[in-house]
């Protein structure tokens, strides 16, 4: 325990769920028992109710001096945690209590192995590309924000299409009447981008994605471009209604006719902690429950004793 002095773990939980409170409480007690300090957000500390935890003075500084942040909840909780940890470079370790939980590394029944991994520092951190998002009106910068998964420009009124012109690297590409446009990262390719019909991109691929949503156009295909590219979406002046910008489903900016949204790679990535080095293919199969019965790869053939030529 003496070797763990000075080590600090941030815990973030979806405290509106009883199972998240229970698992987070069990984790905190075990980690404190190993001599590590545990910090919680002040309001969450009331719900988790574990003696001896630190309470963060502010959300902005909650991740300061923490070697890792362990998140109990679904992808929405992890996206909230990314807002807290990104500027500090604190790696996020997600324990899934939601549905698919694509960003999570462990399931709720893995809590004992998660405790062991954190206490013994048996994890690796990988950097995930994020988006820098800027909104202009009459050429004036009026809002800046960021996203880990996606920045989506959407129509504000259900009964009206949104008329937009899209641009890549300063050159106009096409005009769409649509429900919206998703600009995504490889991390977000399995989120809104996936639902909109965009491609799944392996997370170690550096790229930006643009996918129209229900576009009324002959050319309305998903696009994968360089990570150094700048994507732009202009809301045409002739729109009768406004649009809205959503970043990770959490941060919004109203978009009146004439607004321009620019999306590029952000200088500050998000760091995700990994306990396992399993291929991303295996993660896809597990998370989407993909049918692979009948596969007879080399490793499987060797396991069955059939040899490489069986």
């Amino acid at each position: 325990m003496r070797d763990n002095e000075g080590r600090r773990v941030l815990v973030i939980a979806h405290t509106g769920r009883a199972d998240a409170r229970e698992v987070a409480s069990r984790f905190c007690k075990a980690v404190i028992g190993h001599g590590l300090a545990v910090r919680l957000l002040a309001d969450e500390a009331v719900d988790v109710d574990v003696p001896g935890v630190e309470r963060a003075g502010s959300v902005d500084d909650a991740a300061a001096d923490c070697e890792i942040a362990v998140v109990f909840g679904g992808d929405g909780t992890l996206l909230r945690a990314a807002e807290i940890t990104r500027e500090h470079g604190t790696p996020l370790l997600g324990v899934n209590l939601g549905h698919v939980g694509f960003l999570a590394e462990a399931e709720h029944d893995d809590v004992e192995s998660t405790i062991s991994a954190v206490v013994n520092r048996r994890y690796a951190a990988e950097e995930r590309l994020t988006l820098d998002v800027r909104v202009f009106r009459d050429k004036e910068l009026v809002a800046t924000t960021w996203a880990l998964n996606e920045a989506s420009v959407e129509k504000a009124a259900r009964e009206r299409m949104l008329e937009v012109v899209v641009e890549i690297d300063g050159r106009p590409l096409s005009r769409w009447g649509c429900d919206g446009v998703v600009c995504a990262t490889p991390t977000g390719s399995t989120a809104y981008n996936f639902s909109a019909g965009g491609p799944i991109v392996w997370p170690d691929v550096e790229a930006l994605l643009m996918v129209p949503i229900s576009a009324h156009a002959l050319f309305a295909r998903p696009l994968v471009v360089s990570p150094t590219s700048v994507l732009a979406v202009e809301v045409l002046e002739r729109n009768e209604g406004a649009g809205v910008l959503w970043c990770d489903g959490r941060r919004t900016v109203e978009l009146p006719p004439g607004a321009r949204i620019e999306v590029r790679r952000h200088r500050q990535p998000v760091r995700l902690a990994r306990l396992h080095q399993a291929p991303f293919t295996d993660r896809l199969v597990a998370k989407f429950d993909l049918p692979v019965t009948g596969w007879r790869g080399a490793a499987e053939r060797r396991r069955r004793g059939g040899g490489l030529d069986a």
Side-chain angles (χ1 to χ4, degrees):
M1 292 176 57
R2 184 175 302 163
D3 292 341
N4 291 328
E5 289 181 6
R7 297 180 59 194
R8 181 171 287 102
V9 176
L10 176 64
V11 171
I12 298 172
H14 185 337
T15 54
R17 296 182 50 165
D19 56 350
R21 295 194 302 271
E22 188 276 327
V23 176
S25 176
R26 183 151 53 100
F27 176 88
C28 291
K29 290 174 182 176
V31 170
I32 290 173
H34 283 282
L36 283 72
V38 172
R39 179 182 294 162
L40 285 89
L41 303 178
D43 56 341
E44 294 182 7
V46 175
D47 294 322
V48 174
D49 191 24
V50 174
V53 300
E54 298 178 1
R55 298 192 181 198
S58 70
V59 172
D60 292 340
D61 296 328
D65 304 321
C66 293
E67 64 181 54
I68 192 170
V70 182
V71 184
F72 297 91
D75 280 350
T77 309
L78 202 142
L79 289 170
R80 174 169 65 89
E83 297 175 349
I84 299 169
T85 62
R86 185 176 64 108
E87 288 296 331
H88 298 278
T90 309
L92 287 167
L93 176 59
V95 179
N96 182 39
L97 299 172
H99 298 290
V100 177
F102 230 100
L103 294 173
E105 181 66 5
E107 299 298 323
H108 69 278
D109 53 2
D110 297 330
V111 66
E112 296 301 328
S113 60
T114 303
I115 291 166
S116 177
V118 170
V119 170
N120 295 290
R121 289 195 177 104
R122 288 200 307 268
Y123 57 85
E126 62 184 35
E127 293 187 348
R128 294 294 182 90
L129 181 153
T130 60
L131 302 177
D132 176 292
V133 186
R134 307 181 187 189
V135 180
F136 297 84
R137 295 177 190 165
D138 299 323
K139 298 183 179 181
E140 178 185 355
L141 179 65
V142 296
T144 60
T145 184
W146 69 281
L148 172 59
N149 274 351
E150 75 280 314
S152 61
V153 176
E154 304 175 31
K155 62 182 185 181
R158 182 181 181 185
E159 67 274 12
R160 301 183 187 278
M161 284 196 308
L162 195 65
E163 292 280 346
V164 301
V165 171
V166 296
E167 173 189 296
I168 309 291
D169 294 328
R171 304 302 301 167
L173 180 70
S174 190
R175 186 180 74 242
W176 296 326
C178 57
D179 286 352
V181 180
V182 177
C183 299
T185 67
T187 299
S189 70
T190 51
Y192 196 176
N193 165 84
F194 176 79
S195 300
I200 292 178
V201 179
W202 265 233
D204 57 350
V205 174
E206 294 196 334
L208 302 178
L209 290 70
M210 176 181 276
V211 181
I213 307 171
S214 302
H216 290 251
L218 291 177
F219 179 81
R221 294 291 184 266
L223 306 173
V224 181
V225 302
S226 164
T228 61
S229 288
V230 178
L231 314 181
V233 181
E234 292 190 0
V235 181
L236 295 182
E237 292 278 5
R238 70 188 191 191
N239 276 281
E240 296 182 13
V244 60
L245 169 70
W246 282 92
C247 288
D248 289 341
R250 295 188 52 78
R251 298 170 293 281
T252 64
V253 179
E254 293 184 1
L255 302 173
R260 174 182 172 87
I261 304 89
E262 293 184 358
V263 177
R264 53 175 57 79
R265 181 179 191 163
H266 201 290
R267 58 174 177 78
Q268 182 71 53
V270 164
R271 301 179 72 211
L272 297 182
R274 290 300 180 209
L275 305 180
H276 317 289
Q277 297 304 313
F280 183 68
T281 307
D282 292 353
R283 184 176 292 266
L284 283 177
V285 170
K287 295 294 185 179
F288 287 141
D289 194 20
L290 301 179
V292 293
T293 302
W295 177 74
R296 298 186 70 235
E300 181 70 7
R301 290 195 296 271
R302 285 195 296 269
R303 186 183 70 82
R304 293 179 177 178
L308 292 177
D309 298 323

